[in-house]
Amino acid sequence: MLIVPEAAIADLITPEASFDAVEAVFAAMSKRDAYNFPVVREAIGHEDALYGFKGGFDQSGMTLGLKAGGYWPNNLERRGIINHQSTVFLFAPDTGKMAAMVGGNLLTALRTAAASSVSIKHLARPDAKVLGMVGAGHQSHFQLRAAAQQRDFDKVVAWNYHPDMLPKLGETAAELGLPFEAVSLEGLGEQADVIITITSAFSPSLMDAHVKPGTHLACMGTDTIGKQEVEAALLARATVFCDEVAQSTTIGEAQHAVGSGLIDISAVNEIGAVINGTHPGRTSNDEITLFDGTGVGLQDLAVASAVVEIAVEKGVAIEVDF
Ligand code: NAD
């Protein structure tokens, strides 16, 4: 088997390779060539940790495996390591033999950013100029970098619940050569053509009235029962897309709109269908499109598999008899 350690990942995978891997697996999911296994997520009663598994099988990409890991809230403070910890395990689909073990921390951020970036490519207006960011935590920097590749943005506007975190996001915008402005939620909605929400909120920040016609939203923070970033009424006004309908309507942003009867499950569309051309995607300049990205195991397997390929090419994969 091959090992690709966490420390090697940054020099191997590019945002472009992550994008291609995630776009391909969303397409495969929609063709029913790939499916995710039920997610296991447990509060283990130790260190306040949440631990679980996300797995799946992609028959077109021949990727089988799982990501194991979760969230240890005390890591950073007590041990100086990041709170999210995960590892991807890949198995040979023909034999079940262990094929590779890959560090999953950086990959999680890259595959999450790739997902919203895929949605921007396929759903945002081609002439989108202003990118709005709601959230300024760890993931937001990856989100901003990936989004900037998809449209010719000329400005970033941002709002965060903790305003002191915004200057750091401004530094990332500056690295990309983009002017950055901290704004109110009203100002953000007025200006932004594309909005990414990436917070850990349990009640909505961005309201329906904030968002102007024609906006594309990528709601990326809600991945658990009870979390919510945007008002449910916004989903009723938008055409809603997601990575996987089952996750979106149970642990994603759509859980609230579906749960309160504002939209039917049938109104939640797979982004893979747009990629495959079986759903038209955006059909007018005034339409609001909203991508509910909950994060599926197949995304992790897709980027991990891409990393293994690059690591082998570059001769940095560690081979172990197992
Ligand atoms: P982080 O802890 O670094 O940042 C949290 C962000 O949420 C900050 O911007 C913070 O100011 C904001 N926030 C906190 N409380 C808030 C509140 N009450 N209202 C509004 N905003 C609030 O976390 P992160 O690593 O950037 O992750 C952000 C979210 O993305 C988390 O919910 C995480 O679970 C989720 N996530 C989703 C995926 C996916 O695939 N969809 C992948 C990774 C992480």
Side-chain angles (χ1 to χ4, degrees):
M1 69 170 267
L2 300 167
I3 298 176
V4 186
E6 184 67 43
I9 308 278
D11 290 334
L12 296 172
I13 189 98
T14 58
E16 293 77 17
S18 307
F19 181 97
D20 292 344
V22 168
E23 187 181 48
V25 86
F26 283 164
M29 281 163 57
S30 194
K31 284 188 201 149
R32 307 293 173 254
D33 284 342
Y35 73 107
N36 293 288
F37 306 155
V39 174
V40 173
R41 198 164 161 89
E42 295 287 320
I44 60 171
H46 177 69
E47 286 285 345
D48 297 325
L50 287 174
Y51 177 69
F53 315 107
K54 278 186 169 184
F57 177 45
D58 176 0
Q59 190 143 21
S60 58
M62 273 295 152
T63 319
L64 172 69
L66 59 95
K67 178 169 84 168
Y71 187 69
W72 275 258
N74 308 318
N75 274 1
L76 201 55
E77 215 169 277
R78 294 195 194 151
R79 301 175 187 89
I81 57 172
I82 67 169
N83 292 349
H84 290 274
Q85 290 293 329
S86 61
T87 308
V88 180
F89 299 88
L90 298 172
F91 298 84
D94 295 340
T95 60
K97 247 182 93 74
M98 178 86 178
M101 184 167 93
V102 186
N105 296 350
L106 177 59
L107 287 185
T108 299
L110 289 172
R111 64 79 147 145
T112 307
S116 65
S117 181
V118 165
S119 85
I120 293 168
K121 172 184 168 186
H122 291 280
L123 295 171
R125 288 200 329 262
D127 61 349
K129 288 288 172 210
V130 179
L131 173 63
M133 297 292 305
V134 175
H138 180 71
Q139 305 289 336
S140 68
H141 300 265
F142 295 91
Q143 293 284 329
L144 174 51
R145 284 194 196 99
Q149 312 255 327
Q150 294 308 322
R151 289 294 182 272
D152 191 14
F153 292 114
D154 56 22
K155 185 179 181 185
V156 178
V157 292
W159 176 90
N160 195 44
Y161 185 73
H162 303 102
D164 52 309
M165 294 167 82
L166 283 168
K168 196 157 176 252
L169 190 60
E171 286 170 24
T172 300
E175 269 172 38
L176 297 162
L178 288 168
F180 181 88
E181 193 187 338
V183 291
S184 64
L185 282 165
E186 289 78 7
L188 185 137
E190 268 165 30
Q191 293 190 59
D193 305 308
V194 172
I195 299 175
I196 296 174
T197 62
I198 183 74
T199 70
S200 50
F202 278 82
S203 57
S205 307
L206 193 69
M207 307 310 262
D208 184 31
H210 291 144
V211 177
K212 66 180 181 186
T215 304
H216 171 65
L217 298 108
C219 299
M220 304 305 297
T222 296
D223 56 0
T224 306
I225 291 175
K227 280 189 185 172
Q228 186 174 12
E229 299 190 285
V230 304
E231 191 182 13
L234 184 54
L235 280 84
R237 188 155 66 108
T239 311
V240 180
F241 299 87
C242 67
D243 41 22
E244 190 193 77
V245 174
Q247 276 199 195
S248 162
T249 55
T250 52
I251 60 168
E253 206 56 49
Q255 65 180 290
H256 307 287
V258 169
S260 59
L262 274 175
I263 64 167
D264 189 71
I265 288 185
S266 61
V268 181
N269 306 284
E270 292 169 336
I271 186 81
V274 183
I275 299 167
N276 291 332
T278 55
H279 187 292
R282 167 180 294 280
T283 53
S284 83
N285 276 342
D286 282 346
E287 188 174 357
I288 294 174
T289 51
L290 185 151
F291 174 67
D292 184 11
T294 55
V296 294
L298 282 170
Q299 277 170 260
D300 298 297
L301 306 189
V303 289
S305 169
V307 159
V308 171
E309 224 169 87
I310 301 167
V312 169
E313 262 168 37
K314 295 196 166 178
V316 298
I318 301 163
E319 195 156 3
V320 177
D321 261 338
F322 185 77

